[in-house]
Amino acid sequence: MRLAAAALASASLLALTPSGPPTLPEQIADTGGGSQLITAQAPRVDSTSGTLTWWDRRDGHWVKAGSAAARFGAKGLTEGGSRKQGSNTTPTGLYGFPFAFGIKAAPAGTALEYRRVREGSWWCQDNDSRSYNRWTEPRPADCRASESERLIAYERQYAYALVVGFNYERPVRGRGAGIFLHVDGAGATAGCVSVSEDAMRRILGWVDPAKKPRMAIGTVSGGTAITRY
């Protein structure tokens, strides 16, 4: 009877032990401590396309909630800490989401702060402005229009967008401004990550600020491997 009981207990433990290789988030050095994570992974640093996946942490394990094809910068990806503004590269690293915005109304279920884009909504990218790497409404006098984005002009891309917290908390001038997760345009981006409009709608309805969502951007291997972040 004792041998049978021991065998039964062993079988129960095996049933509770996860099988198969670890998921991508389980290979990442630091997922930010929350229970929601978006991974944006490209094959190489010179890639302009890859895969974006969103994950939930449940019972101590990461479970895939959705996935979509993604586009990256026209010049590929580069380490976020050394990125240069205007390089058309997507910064690798681990980032939060300050808020979301869009020309269209927020999708059903959106819990993150969502700002509607209006005629006077701009993203300041002027290195000489006090509003560098910030949403401004209206555009301040020290922020040149030629060095900024008038958000409503990007009707397709900014139908829905999430602000990626790259260079946001303490902006370093010259490193880059206006990095978003947004709707696909005609091709590669100027440094953002883009997915289909349907994927953006699903992501916005999924992101929960109470779960401290983060976004890890990186490559499959090398110095910018997503698992380093």
Side-chain angles (χ1 to χ4, degrees):
M1 293 294 292
R2 290 182 180 178
L3 287 173
L8 182 61
S10 297
S12 299
L13 286 172
L14 285 172
L16 291 172
T17 302
S19 59
T23 61
L24 181 56
E26 289 164 347
Q27 300 174 56
I28 291 176
D30 179 12
T31 58
S35 57
Q36 285 189 332
L37 179 71
I38 296 176
T39 56
Q41 190 178 40
R44 305 172 306 278
V45 290
D46 60 352
S47 299
T48 59
S49 62
T51 304
L52 185 134
T53 308
W54 49 108
W55 309 80
D56 289 302
R57 189 162 179 81
R58 300 175 185 166
D59 300 323
H61 302 287
W62 288 100
V63 180
K64 183 164 69 173
S67 185
R71 289 172 173 164
F72 299 98
K75 297 295 184 180
L77 298 85
T78 192
E79 170 60 45
S82 58
R83 182 182 185 271
K84 301 297 183 183
Q85 185 162 325
S87 61
N88 287 334
T89 55
T90 298
T92 60
L94 181 70
Y95 307 106
F97 299 109
F99 60 91
F101 68 87
I103 294 171
K104 295 184 178 181
T110 300
L112 193 67
E113 177 192 351
Y114 188 89
R115 302 182 186 179
R116 286 295 297 275
V117 174
R118 301 187 293 187
E119 290 291 332
S121 303
W122 290 74
W123 197 274
C124 184
Q125 300 179 359
D126 189 336
N127 282 284
D128 296 327
S129 174
R130 289 172 294 178
S131 300
Y132 178 68
N133 202 20
R134 287 292 184 272
W135 168 291
T136 63
E137 197 175 85
R139 179 175 55 83
D142 73 340
C143 182
R144 292 168 290 174
S146 60
E147 298 293 322
S148 303
E149 284 190 345
R150 189 180 182 212
L151 300 178
I152 205 166
Y154 298 88
E155 183 177 0
R156 178 174 173 177
Q157 293 93 328
Y158 296 158
Y160 305 109
L162 273 165
V163 177
V164 177
F166 166 73
N167 200 32
Y168 188 82
E169 187 175 347
R170 297 180 181 86
V172 175
R173 275 138 174 93
R175 184 162 292 170
I179 299 298
F180 312 129
L181 171 59
H182 63 69
V183 176
D184 279 334
T189 73
C192 297
V193 179
S194 69
V195 292
S196 69
E197 182 170 331
D198 176 67
M200 278 305 306
R201 290 181 63 88
R202 287 187 285 147
I203 291 166
L204 286 170
W206 166 82
V207 168
D208 182 351
K211 296 180 179 179
K212 299 179 181 178
R214 297 290 185 271
M215 183 173 184
I217 305 172
T219 53
V220 171
S221 60
T224 53
I226 197 169
T227 51
R228 293 183 60 245
Y229 301 108

